[in-house]
């Protein structure tokens, strides 16, 4: 049994501040100012707690499946994608639309609708969200027999009829119909004429099909809904058929008649959030103001449901709890789902914890029947078949969960804002004095936060003060033949020791180690810490004699050759740039956006990299700041630096992004380092050591995949086949693209018309390519000559062999010439 408290709890009686919702056996056991006795208390802090959202009309699965006009993924894969998307937006029950119509329009077809129904039937027991089918039938279709067969399947919960013929419903005129459908037929007037003719021809039997569909819905115990009613007569006919729902009425008269008759009126959440219909129909806000709106549905945009709740509240259209009811209580009631939709004792514990960032709602935790389906991991009892419910996260920047320690202390993942507290805890360990003052401490914390194989946890008391931390790394151990979880550090503030915080941190480490696939926890402890030894032995750790820990500094000889000193400094700079990546987490752009002001990440990465490269005393040309110091003289060696290649990838968390540095002399790189900062993979090369990737020699390979710049030109469409490549990839980081040619991951890289490559993209990777024996050519058929000017752009191809590089040049020339002739 667990109890959740939040800043605001949306109850049927209104918003309640700091109330508790107690959950037991998948149901809400109590709601009030205090939790039930014996419940494990979990504080949501500043978050809101609302009922899980019920979506009666989710009509976007076909679009998720159609990735490109000629690329369709399996409907099951699209269903899993939509399931995760729905959970991320607070939806706990969704009705996915399957639209049956004889004339394929856009992504819709009878075949696709059939696949949707069958996929939901097969996968409903394996999805996070309670998923059902909203079966939509175009009355001009003649496939009623197929619909009758599929309607008998369990997931079908709503059946609606629709008529998308010109002159009625949302298309009040043929001109409006043509304007809408012209987009789907790309202006093909003949195809539009044929579609109109077919639909008008089939209108003769619509009355019989409508009656048969209504009888079918009643026989299958499905809720019947009408669609796009525009007159009072439409509503009267809907009542006679036994409908319960009028969805998307297009006129105020139809909405008023539906509400007066007791039908549940459903309108689009995008309409409500935006403030108007995208097709000049009835405004959802107008219907709400008139008292003629019961529920909102996502229609084509799942995120709009939670968005509409907070936008309606912000615009003072209605109270927050009334807006919440439009996406929870309202849809549950009119769909006869009487076991959900409200935070009330006896109902399903379908709940969402929501934070607000910059005025936009963000779902941080989601529970269905009291079990976690989205958000953090934690501990609580749960019905079989679902993961245990997590302790939610009160900090809206955090995504992982917390584990309760008694009633007041919790364990949670560390964030960048915890760095000062962690440094102080390291100082408190003893033997590591000065951690809070060392610049390298911040760099190390940032790196650990970015590592997929590391976990940094903190313990927080009731005042939200960090009183303990644990650092854990998963690593392979060849000696023992398994992956082990190394506890690098565990510390508790001296005045908080003895309260069980260390034990709870170890319990959390056990769980994380298991999820990282490790078979054993290992740690090292100072020989003088006999108290610590007793603590660990009491918790199942055993001594591992005769090991003795020894340390030695990595040699960085001042007298080493220039190339070696450059590579060592660049390697340390790449590691330090992890700090910039940690800062990135605090200034992410809005979803889907990229603000040029967010170049702060590049500038911060440059600043850090220069602290390691400037002491070499070599002129530096950087992408961000250009010439740093004195410009290099003819014949002088200089450094080319790109502190963050793939900034957009980095800002959106889409791998890869890299640091690239090259040592250049007489127009050619003599040494280079490229580090994929998203994965840690490192490529480097020098004039004497050859080329390596993660310590292994490189071997380019012919054929396979061709990579292109992040904005590929259309003229290169024919190049792939002419050079023998069977796949194309767009990576978004030129330096990594070139290094992947050097190590054989891909066969070639081609940028002959965009010219996105500049010296900072090429220098480090070019050294790696040449040392590996691969080829890099310009359109002149010769290797690029690098100059100390970051504005100069290069048209290039890179391939495993010179023959393949020239074939790409010839193929591109032919393709471009053909395009010009066309």
């Amino acid at each position: 049994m667990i109890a959740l408290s939040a800043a605001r709890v949306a109850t049927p009686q209104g918003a309640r501040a700091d109330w508790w919702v107690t959950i037991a056996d998948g149901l809400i056991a109590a709601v009030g100012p205090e939790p039930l006795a014996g419940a494990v208390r979990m504080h949501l802090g500043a978050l809101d707690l609302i009922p899980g959202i019920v979506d009666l009309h989710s009509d976007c699965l076909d679009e998720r499946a159609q990735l490109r006009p000629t690329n369709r993924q399996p409907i099951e894969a699209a269903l899993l994608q939509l399931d995760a998307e729905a959970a991320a937006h607070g939806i706990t029950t969704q009705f996915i639309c399957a639209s049956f119509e004889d004339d394929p329009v856009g992504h819709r077809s009878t075949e696709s609708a059939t696949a949707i129904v069958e996929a939901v039937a097969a996968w409903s027991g394996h999805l996070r969200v309670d998923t059902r089918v909203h079966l939509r039938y175009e009355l001009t279709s003649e496939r009623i027999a197929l619909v009758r067969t599929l309607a008998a399947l369990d997931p079908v919960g709503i059946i609606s009829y629709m008529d998308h013929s010109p002159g009625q419903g949302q298309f009040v005129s043929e001109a409006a119909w043509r304007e809408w459908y012209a987009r789907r037929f790309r202006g093909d007037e003949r195809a539009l004429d044929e579609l109109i003719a077919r639909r008008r021809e089939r209108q003769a039997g619509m009355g019989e099909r409508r009656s048969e569909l209504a009888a079918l819905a009643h026989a299958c115990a499905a809720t019947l809904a009408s669609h796009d009613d525009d007159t009072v007569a439409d509503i009267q006919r809907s009542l006679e058929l036994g409908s319960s729902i009028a969805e998307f009425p297009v006129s105020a008269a139809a909405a008023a008649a539906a509400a007066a008759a007791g039908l549940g009126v459903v309108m689009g959440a995008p309409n409500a959030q935006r403030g108007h219909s995208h097709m000049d129909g009835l405004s959802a806000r107008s219907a709400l103001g008139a008292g003629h709106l019961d529920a909102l549905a996502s229609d084509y945009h799942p995120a709009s449901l939670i968005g509409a709740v907070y936008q309606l509240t912000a615009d003072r259209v209605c109270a927050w709890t009334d807006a919440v009811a439009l996406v929870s209580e309202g849809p549950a009631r009119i769909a006869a789902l009487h076991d959900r939709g409200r935070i009330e004792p006896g109902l399903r514990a379908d709940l969402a914890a929501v934070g607000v960032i910059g005025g936009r709602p963000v779902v941080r935790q989601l529970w269905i029947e009291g079990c976690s389906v989205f958000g953090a991991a934690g501990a609580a009892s749960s019905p079989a078949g679902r993961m245990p419910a997590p302790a939610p996260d009160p900090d809206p920047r955090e995504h992982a969960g917390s584990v309760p320690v008694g009633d007041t202390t919790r364990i949670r993942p560390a964030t960048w804002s915890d760095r000062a507290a962690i440094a102080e805890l390291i100082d408190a360990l003893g033997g590591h004095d000065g951690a809070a003052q060392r610049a390298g401490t911040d760099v190390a914390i940032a790196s650990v936060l970015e590592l997929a194989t590391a976990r940094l946890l903190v313990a927080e008391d009731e005042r939200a003060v960090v009183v303990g931390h644990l650092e854990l790394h998963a690593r392979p151990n060849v000696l023992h033949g398994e992956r082990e979880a190394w506890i690098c550090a565990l510390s508790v503030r001296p005045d908080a020791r003895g309260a069980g915080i260390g034990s709870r941190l170890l319990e959390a480490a056990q769980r994380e180690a298991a999820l990282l696939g490790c078979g054993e926890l290992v740690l090292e402890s100072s020989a003088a810490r006999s108290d610590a030894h007793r603590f660990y032995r009491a918790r199942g750790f055993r001594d591992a004699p005769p090991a003795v820990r020894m340390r030695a500094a990595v040699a960085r000889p001042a007298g080493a050759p220039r190339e070696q000193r450059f590579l060592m400094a660049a390697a340390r700079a790449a590691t330090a740039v992890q700090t910039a990546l940690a800062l990135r987490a605090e200034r992410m752009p809005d979803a889907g956006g990229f603000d040029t002001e967010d170049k702060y990440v590049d500038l911060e990465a440059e600043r850090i990299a220069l602290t390691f490269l400037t002491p070499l005393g070599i002129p530096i040309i950087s992408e961000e700041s250009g010439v740093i110091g004195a410009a290099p003289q003819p014949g002088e060696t200089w450094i080319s630096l790109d502190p963050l290649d793939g900034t957009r990838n980095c800002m959106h968390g889409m791998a890869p992004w890299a640091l690239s540095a090259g040592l250049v002399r007489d127009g050619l790189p003599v040494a280079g380092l490229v580090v994929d900062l998203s994965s840690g993979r490192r490529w480097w090369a020098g004039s004497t050591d050859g080329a390596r990737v993660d310590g292994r020699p490189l071997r380019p390979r012919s054929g396979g995949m061709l990579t292109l710049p992040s904005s590929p030109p259309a003229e290169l469409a024919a190049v792939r086949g002419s050079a023998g490549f069977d796949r194309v990839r767009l990576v978004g980081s030129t330096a990594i693209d070139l290094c992947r040619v050097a190590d054989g991951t891909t066969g070639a890289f081609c940028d002959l018309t965009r010219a996105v490559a500049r010296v900072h993209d090429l220098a480090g990777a070019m050294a790696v390519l040449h040392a590996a024996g691969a080829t890099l050519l310009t359109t002149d058929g010769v290797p690029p000559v690098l100059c100390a000017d970051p504005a100069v752009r290069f048209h290039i191809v890179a391939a495993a062999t010179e023959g393949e590089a020239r074939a790409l040049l010839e193929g591109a020339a032919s393709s471009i010439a053909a395009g010009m002739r066309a």
Side-chain angles (χ1 to χ4, degrees), residues 476-768:
N477 188 319
V478 178
L479 293 176
H480 297 283
E482 65 178 353
R483 198 181 211 199
E484 65 183 19
W486 173 48
I487 298 176
C488 172
L490 189 161
S491 62
V492 176
R493 212 172 65 183
D495 61 354
R497 291 172 187 169
I501 295 171
S503 297
R504 296 298 186 179
L505 283 166
L506 281 180
E507 290 174 7
Q510 287 276 4
R511 184 180 62 255
E512 295 295 340
L515 293 172
L516 285 165
C518 298
E520 194 171 42
L521 279 172
V522 298
L523 56 85
E524 298 163 355
S525 180
S526 168
R529 293 288 306 277
S530 57
D531 56 339
H533 304 166
R534 288 193 299 271
F535 170 80
Y536 290 122
R537 290 184 188 117
R539 283 149 187 85
F541 286 82
R542 63 187 185 279
D543 293 78
V548 175
R549 187 183 191 194
M550 306 183 77
R551 297 165 60 91
V554 174
R556 299 185 180 94
R562 175 178 286 179
E563 286 182 23
Q564 184 177 345
R565 287 188 288 115
F566 159 74
L567 287 172
M568 289 189 295
R572 295 179 67 200
T575 299
V577 166
Q578 295 297 320
T579 301
L581 302 186
L583 291 173
R584 170 200 62 168
E586 293 193 337
R587 294 185 54 183
M588 289 289 284
D590 292 338
F594 181 80
D595 190 337
T596 54
E597 293 182 2
D598 283 311
K599 290 290 285 182
Y600 81 91
V601 160
D602 295 278
L603 295 172
E604 179 67 9
E606 179 187 72
R607 181 189 67 78
I608 293 170
L610 291 177
T611 62
F612 295 92
L613 295 173
T614 303
L616 295 175
I618 304 171
I620 299 172
I621 311 297
S622 174
E623 179 193 18
E624 309 309 324
S625 302
V627 178
I628 296 173
Q633 301 301 309
E636 186 178 9
T637 300
W638 48 280
I639 293 171
S640 172
L641 171 67
D642 189 346
L644 193 58
D645 182 20
T647 302
R648 290 201 177 206
N649 285 0
C650 177
M651 292 303 295
H652 292 284
M654 181 176 178
W657 52 89
L659 178 141
S660 176
L663 190 65
V664 183
R665 184 170 58 241
D666 297 328
L668 292 174
V670 294
L673 173 84
V674 176
V675 179
D676 180 350
L677 298 173
S678 64
S679 70
R681 173 156 289 186
R682 296 181 176 227
W683 297 265
W684 70 89
S687 59
T688 59
D689 297 332
R692 306 271 174 148
V693 56
D694 293 340
R696 302 185 303 275
L698 300 186
R699 182 172 64 88
R701 294 187 296 181
S702 300
M705 286 187 287
L706 170 70
T707 51
L708 299 176
S710 56
S711 299
E715 296 91 336
L716 289 179
V719 173
R720 183 184 75 181
S722 66
F725 295 96
D726 60 3
R727 294 288 188 275
V728 173
R729 293 290 185 270
L730 282 75
V731 174
S733 171
T734 299
I736 290 179
D737 277 321
L738 296 174
C739 287
R740 286 177 172 172
V741 174
D743 70 17
T745 302
T746 58
F749 173 77
C750 188
D751 174 21
L752 294 174
T753 58
R754 291 286 186 179
V756 299
R758 291 178 285 173
V759 62
H760 48 266
D761 297 302
L762 297 182
M766 189 173 169
V768 175

Side-chain angles (χ1 to χ4, degrees), residues 121-164:
W123 282 84
S124 60
H126 305 283
L127 303 175
R128 304 183 192 199
V129 173
D130 185 350
T131 302
R132 306 168 184 219
V133 169
H134 178 152
L135 196 155
R136 303 180 64 198
Y137 183 69
E138 187 72 47
L139 290 171
T140 54
S141 171
E142 297 176 339
R143 303 297 295 275
I144 191 70
L146 175 60
V147 172
R148 188 184 304 112
T149 299
L150 294 171
L153 297 178
D154 286 340
V156 176
I158 299 175
I159 296 178
S160 63
Y161 58 84
M162 54 187 180
D163 179 9
H164 289 104

Side-chain angles (χ1 to χ4, degrees), residues 366-446:
L366 192 71
W367 296 265
I368 294 181
E369 295 185 284
C371 309
S372 171
V373 297
F374 174 79
S381 60
S382 63
R386 294 198 184 274
M387 293 296 292
D393 192 345
D395 188 335
R397 293 169 300 176
E398 301 166 14
H399 298 276
S402 56
V403 178
V405 181
D407 286 338
T408 58
T409 307
R410 65 194 187 104
I411 311 300
R412 62 169 175 81
T415 66
W416 177 245
S417 60
D418 295 318
R419 60 191 183 279
I422 292 171
E424 291 176 3
L425 285 165
I426 294 171
D427 274 344
L429 273 174
H432 306 279
D433 297 343
Q437 287 73 44
R438 286 195 301 267
T441 303
D442 278 2
V443 174
I445 291 172

